[in-house]
Structures are given as C-alpha cells and as structure tokens.
Amino acid sequence: WLGLLPLLTARRLGIPYVAEFNGLRYWGLWSQSGIRDSIWKKAIVSNLERLCARLADVIISPSQGLAERLRELAGKSAQIFVVPNGADHTVFRPLPQPEVREKLGLPKSLPLIVYTGGLQAWQGVDVLLHAFALLISQMPYCRLIIVGGQNERDREKYPKIAESLGISHQVIFVPFVPYEQSALYIAAADVCVAPYKPGCEGASPLKVFAYLSCGRPVVISDLKETADLVRTSGAGLLVPPGDPKALAEALKQLLSDPDLCAEMGRRGREAILNGYTWDHNAERIEAILLRLLEPK
C-alpha cells in the first residue's frame, strides 16, 4: 500500500513520477510461494504493482529480463530504461587475505569458497551444497562458508542438507551480518559463488557486483545480463543453472589454479571501476531524470 503514496503525491502536485522496480512481488507470490499465500493477497499485490507501473512517466529496471515483465504490466507504450546495479567500491574492495581471515577467525591456509546473500529457494544454496559434496570427494581440504539469511522460510533446511550429505564439518554457516562485514567474508574467499536456479533470468544480483568489486573470481549460473558481465570481463566461470556437477567442476578448476584466480579477480575489480559503481548507476539515472524534465 505504501507504494501508492509517491504516485498519488506526484499526481496531486503535477510532477513527474518515476518508479524504480528492483523486483516484482507478484512474480514471487505466484511462481514461488505455492499455496502459502492466499489468492486475494496475490490479486491485490498484482493490481497494486500494475497500477504503479502503468501510471509511471518513466520506469527504471536493473535488468532486461525484469524490464520485459514490467512491459507486460505497464503496456507497450511505457518508457522503461535498464540501469544495471552496482557496488560500493569503497566498501567492497580487495583486502589482504591473511589479515582478513585472521580477523574473522577463519582457516588461514585452506581454500575457501564463499556465498553471501539470501537463502530463498531460488538462490540455489541447496545446489551449492550438493556441488560442494562432489568437490570435496576430490579436494577434501576445502571449506564452504555461507553468509547471510535472515527471515527466509527455507533457511533452517540447509544445515540439515549439509548433515545428510556428510559435509557439516566442512561448511560454516554464518548468520546475517552487517553490510560492511559481508565485504570481509568476500575478501577472505578464494572463489565466490552465485548458484541461481532456472527462472531467475530477470535478476541483477548485488552479490555478484560485490564479489567482483572485492577482486575475487566468481562461479555463477549462466543467466543473461549479469552473466554477460562476467563473460565479457573474463572475471569468472559460468555454469548451467541447477547443475551441481558443473558447479563442482568449475570450482575445482579455479581452486586448482591460483594464478587464474588472481587474474580473474583483477579483471572483475577493473570491470566494476570502469562502469558498475553506484556512482555510475547514479549518473545513468540522473541522465534519465534530466531527459524527463526537458521541455516538451
């Protein structure tokens, strides 16, 4: 309901209304929550989002996939601009790995794989756990660190999955941490991972921008735009979404080649500094706003 306030205020004052959609709540309710949410809630949310989209003078989306869904809501005549997400390059930056690990109490010499972010089902953390079980059958000295999760419905199931796979002693679950502290865990990693499942093509995951900004090589699901950034920059490896075996093989390839990891990390940091900081994001949005304010 609060989403209507900017719209109604803009209409009342006769000023342009710009809506930035970083996701669609209705999409999650209909496609992912099954019968947990009632039909009336889904219908109300769908109509509220449709109203906000259709009455906007301009819509800003972080990805082309989400922009396509917004087009369905707002109509063919809607002005929709894609402005990619970014990273705070002053917080998420390369740091000396030994010092960071000592500060966090992490193993200093063992290869570390790090995942940060939410624990919703579509994030693919279960895929990551199965991939890690395959990996340590060949590289038993690795450790996996999963950082994050707060109020997700599925968060309690992942330690149980790790236990059922016999990998509990090699997986470290770190509860939700402050924004700045997540940068330390990323900096402590040898490889960072974003194992999204199929159906997330409209995502523009902040974690991937943060990984790259910290100068860490990545292994991520090959899902459109963010994957294209990794592909063109050469900052990591792409794997089919939902494929534990391919994910395990990619992780093994990187962990077996420290020089490649270092080079990919350098490329990722360079890509962020050259076009994907929040300053770049702000400049792109500012240009859209100035264009909207030009005399007709």
Side-chain angles (χ1 to χ4, degrees):
W1 296 108
L2 292 177
L4 290 176
L5 292 179
L7 168 60
L8 297 176
T9 303
R11 285 289 176 268
R12 178 71 175 173
L13 299 177
I15 60 176
Y17 166 62
V18 179
E20 180 176 353
F21 284 82
N22 285 293
L24 285 171
R25 178 66 175 150
Y26 93 89
W27 182 266
L29 287 173
W30 284 105
S31 65
Q32 296 165 17
S33 61
I35 61 174
R36 293 176 180 173
D37 293 294
S38 62
I39 294 296
W40 69 265
K41 179 179 179 181
K42 295 175 181 178
I44 289 175
V45 171
S46 298
N47 283 291
L48 285 174
E49 289 187 322
R50 183 178 293 108
L51 182 63
C52 289
R54 292 197 171 184
L55 294 182
D57 295 284
V58 164
I59 296 174
I60 295 172
S61 165
S63 73
Q64 189 61 46
L66 179 57
E68 292 170 3
R69 293 176 187 165
L70 286 164
R71 181 79 61 188
E72 297 173 5
L73 278 185
K76 295 181 179 179
S77 61
Q79 288 194 78
I80 302 178
F81 296 89
V82 175
V83 178
N85 280 323
D88 185 337
H89 64 289
T90 63
V91 173
F92 294 93
R93 65 190 191 280
L95 295 171
Q97 193 182 71
E99 295 177 16
V100 174
R101 290 192 180 187
E102 183 177 2
K103 183 175 182 178
L104 296 174
L106 298 173
K108 295 182 180 180
S109 58
L110 298 179
L112 297 184
I113 301 162
V114 170
Y115 168 91
T116 66
L119 300 180
Q120 300 91 344
W122 48 270
Q123 299 273 7
V125 176
D126 54 338
V127 177
L128 174 58
L129 290 169
H130 282 88
F132 185 68
L134 295 173
L135 175 67
I136 60 174
S137 66
Q138 304 175 62
M139 303 179 75
Y141 43 84
C142 297
R143 295 293 184 270
L144 171 63
I145 303 176
I146 297 175
V147 183
Q150 201 165 13
N151 298 315
E152 296 93 336
R153 291 168 174 164
D154 300 306
R155 70 186 185 280
E156 300 296 339
K157 77 177 185 180
Y158 299 113
K160 296 177 182 178
I161 293 175
E163 185 177 354
S164 69
L165 293 171
I167 59 175
S168 295
H169 62 295
Q170 290 173 278
V171 181
I172 302 171
F173 288 92
V174 179
F176 178 83
V177 298
Y179 181 71
E180 293 80 5
Q181 194 172 348
S182 69
L184 297 179
Y185 283 95
I186 296 171
D190 291 291
V191 178
C192 293
V193 62
Y196 285 94
K197 290 184 176 179
C200 296
E201 287 78 4
S204 180
L206 293 175
K207 64 170 65 64
V208 176
F209 293 94
Y211 295 162
L212 299 179
S213 189
C214 284
R216 293 297 178 257
V218 300
V219 178
I220 71 170
S221 297
D222 192 353
L223 293 170
K224 290 193 176 181
E225 290 139 285
T226 306
D228 286 340
L229 171 60
V230 173
R231 183 183 290 109
T232 56
S233 65
L237 300 178
L238 306 176
V239 297
D243 188 335
K245 184 178 179 181
L247 180 55
E249 291 174 353
L251 291 170
K252 179 184 177 183
Q253 180 182 343
L254 290 184
L255 292 174
S256 301
D257 194 339
D259 291 337
L260 177 60
C261 284
E263 176 60 21
M264 285 184 167
R266 184 193 65 77
R267 293 172 186 170
R269 175 68 175 177
E270 185 177 83
I272 295 298
L273 294 179
N274 287 339
Y276 295 94
T277 69
W278 286 122
D279 289 336
H280 292 107
N281 177 281
E283 289 169 0
R284 293 179 179 116
I285 293 177
E286 181 187 39
I288 294 169
L289 299 179
L290 291 173
R291 174 179 171 180
L292 178 62
L293 293 172
E294 289 177 355
K296 303 299 181 183

